[in-house]
Structure formats: C-alpha cells, structure tokens
C-alpha cells in the first residue's frame, strides 16, 4: 500500500529513504548504487525498497474522481 | 574482561569483547535484542479518519515509527499509577491533526506533535499516510516503554551480532540501533539488566539455603 515503516525482517527504519530511492531510480540511477549510498546494507532491507509498489497512489484516484463527480452534479 | 572500541558511526557500534565465555557474550546479545525498555506508540485514539487507510493500519504504522527514548519514564507495569491508561510518568502523548487541500498530500512523521520534546520520532521524513483534498485525520497517540520480546516495535536494535574467533577467544560485536537510543547506551543498559538478573537470582538462592 504505502512504504512499510520498518524492514519486515530486522526492524530497521527504511520508510524515510523511499522517496529519494524512488526518485533517483526513476531518474535512471542503478538501484545498487542508490541503496549503497543510502546506507542500506543488508539484503532484507534492500528488498523492502526494491520490491515495493506504492499502490496508495492508485487508491487516491477514487476519492479524487468521486469528488469531481459530486462537484459536477451540484 | 576487556572491551576495545573499533568504530562508532551514528547508529552503529563495533567493539571487540575478549576474556568472556560465549554464554556471556550471547546473553548480552540476546538482552540487547529483546529486553531493553524503549519507547514506542502503543495506544492510538482516532477521532477522525476518512483517509484510504483503515484505522488499524494507521495505528500499526504509528506504532512502528521509532521514537527517541527518555529513560526517566516508568515501565507501565512498574508505575505507581496502576492505571490501564497510564499517567504522565509512564506515557508520552502525541497529537496529529491534518486536513488535506492538495490532490496528493503526504503526512510525515514531522507532523506528529510530541507533548514531550524528548520523545519524538527519530526521523522527520517517514511517510505515515497519503491524503487527497478533503480528507482529514485527527488522532492522539500514546507512547510507552516496552520490551522487544512483547512486540518488535519495542526492539532497541535492528542488528546485534558478534563474530567469535575461537583461536583468539574474542567476540567482535556489531550493534545497530533503530535510533531510539545511542548504541553504546544499549550495550550499557544490557549490562545493567544482566547484573539485575544475577542479583535477583542470587537473592532467590539465598532464600533457598535459609529454609
């Protein structure tokens, strides 16, 4: 849904690194390099960021659409 | 017993412990993982939440946010108040109130307002939830001291390991704090707990020989 606050396995807090990670990877940086620079060493924490899908962005579209619809009716 | 410090970066401590038994080194490691009292949000009172996230997920995420520990607080089970809700000596409160006006608005841990500035989220940039225009969250959260063996949110370390060199009989420790307490304080606190356990064990034995 949204980036988990901690690594599922070891409990390291990784949520605050997601935005940097996602921005830099989308800009074309290699994930390996970004993770190393963010100081995420263990593979349990690395997979948290590598495999994450931010689905909450999709969910947010529904209230946005229904608000627009409501505005049209009124 | 001999301790030699190898390195200390923000949350990570490396040291070499020598002239101790593997049993002692392991006891120290296990206590760091599961028995150091640290603070974490434990109770959340949700007054308003029309976000896309359910109340319980929101509360769970708040619980997992590492907060700095102020050791002057009492453990709830040892506090004199004996109250389920707790008193000012055994709980620290936070409040969060936000209504979104943008199409996508991220709520960060920095927006959690702590009542005691000594107990605050370790990082200001932890996303809690995302809101869209018109959505509102209003809640009050209470942090308490607790131990890792009850819930992982109370774990003081994200890694506590050692490497045993059989020939040199040394233990190279690595302690990585979650940020709630400096790692050296965690080691010290673990030593204090071993000591308290040994003392109470001794007292127990004393009672047996008397009877």
């Amino acid at each position: 849904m949204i980036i988990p606050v901690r690594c599922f396995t070891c409990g390291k807090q990784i949520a605050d690194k997601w935005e940097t990670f996602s921005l830099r990877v989308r800009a074309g940086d290699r994930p390996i390099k970004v993770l190393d620079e963010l100081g995420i060493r263990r593979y349990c924490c690395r997979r948290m960021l590598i495999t994450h899908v931010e689905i909450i962005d999709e969910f947010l579209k529904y209230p946005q659409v229904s608000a627009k619809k409501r505005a049209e009716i009124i | 017993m001999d301790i030699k410090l190898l390195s200390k970066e923000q949350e990570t401590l490396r040291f070499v412990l020598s002239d101790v038994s593997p049993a002692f080194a392991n006891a120290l490691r296990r206590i760091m993982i599961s028995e150091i009292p640290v603070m974490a949000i434990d109770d959340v009172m949700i007054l308003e939440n029309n976000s896309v996230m359910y109340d319980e997920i929101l509360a769970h995420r708040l619980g997992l946010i590492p907060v700095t520990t102020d050791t002057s607080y009492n453990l709830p089970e040892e506090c004199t108040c004996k109250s389920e809700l707790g008193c000012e000596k055994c709980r620290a409160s936070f409040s969060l109130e936000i209504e979104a006006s943008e199409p996508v608005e991220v709520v960060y841990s920095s927006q959690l307002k702590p009542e005691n500035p000594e107990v605050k989220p370790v990082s200001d940039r932890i996303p809690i939830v995302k809101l869209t225009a018109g959505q509102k969250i209003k809640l009050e959260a209470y942090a308490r001291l607790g131990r890792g063996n009850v819930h992982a949110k109370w774990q003081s370390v994200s890694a506590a390991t050692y490497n045993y060199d059989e020939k040199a009989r040394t233990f190279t420790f690595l302690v990585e704090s979650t940020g709630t307490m400096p790692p050296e304080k965690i080691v010290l606190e673990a030593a204090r707990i071993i000591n308290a356990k040994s003392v109470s064990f001794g007292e127990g034995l004393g009672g047996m020989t008397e009877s």
Side-chain angles (χ1 to χ4, degrees):
Chain A
M1 179 127 174
I2 189 168
I3 183 73
V5 177
R6 294 184 187 218
C7 166
F8 290 158
T9 304
C10 70
K12 185 185 171 74
Q13 188 273 111
I14 43 106
D16 65 347
K17 297 173 183 79
W18 164 253
E19 284 178 354
T20 328
F21 176 82
S22 132
L23 274 173
R24 286 188 56 185
V25 170
R26 266 183 287 156
D29 276 3
R30 292 184 69 204
I32 293 183
K33 198 179 143 224
V34 184
L35 288 168
D36 287 343
E37 285 173 13
L38 286 172
I40 300 173
R41 295 191 312 275
R42 284 183 293 278
Y43 60 51
C44 61
C45 311
R46 284 171 161 255
R47 62 88 204 256
M48 296 303 295
L49 295 173
I50 294 170
T51 61
H52 179 247
V53 183
E54 192 91 342
I55 322 179
I56 194 165
D57 293 335
E58 304 297 316
F59 290 156
L60 280 180
K61 287 175 188 165
Y62 293 92
Q64 282 164 2
V65 168
S66 57
K68 211 181 278 171
K69 279 252 172 76
R70 223 176 295 131
E72 279 167 19
I73 295 165
I74 300 163
Chain B
M1 195 184 302
D2 185 43
I3 300 170
K4 206 175 83 199
L5 189 74
L6 289 182
S7 69
K8 159 123 212 299
E9 297 145 41
Q10 297 138 332
E11 305 300 349
T12 317
L13 182 75
R14 283 169 216 267
F15 63 93
V16 177
L17 182 65
S18 46
D19 294 331
V20 294
S21 68
F24 180 83
N26 198 228
L28 194 68
R29 182 188 70 86
R30 291 187 57 154
I31 284 174
M32 286 194 276
I33 292 172
S34 64
E35 292 186 46
I36 313 277
V38 296
M39 288 217 121
I41 290 174
D42 189 33
D43 251 336
V44 180
M45 226 162 67
I46 294 175
L47 305 166
E48 226 174 311
N49 171 27
N50 61 355
S51 72
V52 294
M53 200 178 265
Y54 290 118
D55 292 359
E56 32 288 66
I57 304 177
L58 191 62
H60 183 237
R61 284 184 71 81
L62 289 169
L64 288 172
I65 292 173
V67 293
T68 48
T69 296
D70 177 351
T71 40
S72 66
Y73 280 93
N74 291 336
L75 270 159
E77 58 267 32
E78 287 166 11
C79 190
T80 47
C81 69
K82 299 276 174 237
S83 157
E84 208 177 298
L85 290 165
C87 63
E88 68 276 13
K89 281 184 207 150
C90 59
R91 71 161 199 213
S93 77
F94 292 89
S95 64
L96 178 71
E97 187 175 356
I98 184 150
E99 188 171 357
S101 50
E102 308 284 319
V104 177
E105 216 171 295
V106 188
V107 181
Y108 290 102
S109 51
S110 58
Q111 283 159 288
L112 261 178
K113 283 196 203 77
E115 158 207 57
N116 175 359
E118 299 288 307
V119 182
K120 60 172 198 327
V122 163
S123 167
D124 281 344
R125 297 290 293 173
I126 302 173
I128 299 170
V129 65
K130 284 183 183 175
L131 303 177
T132 186
Q135 291 185 333
K136 193 175 175 187
I137 281 181
K138 190 176 174 186
L139 58 83
E140 236 169 83
Y142 303 102
R144 293 201 177 91
L145 278 179
R147 296 191 167 101
N149 53 14
V150 177
H151 191 291
K153 67 183 174 187
W154 282 304
Q155 231 177 63
S156 60
V157 289
S158 50
T161 61
Y162 60 74
N163 209 333
Y164 180 37
D165 183 343
E166 262 180 81
K167 275 200 193 117
R169 312 196 88 218
T170 57
F171 299 86
T172 313
F173 269 83
L174 168 102
V175 178
E176 186 189 273
S177 162
T178 54
T180 179
M181 247 191 234
E184 63 274 16
K185 201 174 169 196
I186 292 174
V187 180
L188 197 73
E189 206 65 28
R192 200 172 291 151
I193 290 172
I194 294 187
N195 186 307
K197 277 177 190 274
S198 309
V199 167
S200 81
F201 180 64
E203 281 166 1
L205 281 183
M208 272 169 76
T209 48
E210 275 162 27
S211 60

